[in-house]
Amino acid sequence: MQYLDLVGQFFSGALNDCWAWVTQLNLEEWFILLGVTSGVGFLGMRGFSNKDRC
């Protein structure tokens, strides 16, 4: 159980660190992050929709 607690603490800490980084962004960096996230999401959805089904 102790191993699972350590893994949970790691992911909790990583999530908190990522959120702290996001809250420090200025307006220009927010739009860059928005564009990159939207582009990756678009490409991901495009890739899932083009899979050949038997």
Side-chain angles (χ1 to χ4, degrees), residues 8-51:
Q9 288 175 355
F10 171 76
F11 283 112
S12 177
L15 182 61
N16 288 336
D17 291 343
C18 288
W19 186 249
W21 174 76
V22 168
T23 59
Q24 297 294 323
L25 297 177
N26 63 25
L27 186 62
E28 183 178 315
E29 293 166 338
W30 267 104
F31 279 109
I32 292 171
L33 180 63
L34 177 65
V36 168
T37 304
S38 297
V40 169
F42 173 77
L43 292 175
M45 294 302 289
R46 183 176 164 100
F48 284 125
S49 66
N50 287 337
K51 297 224 182 232

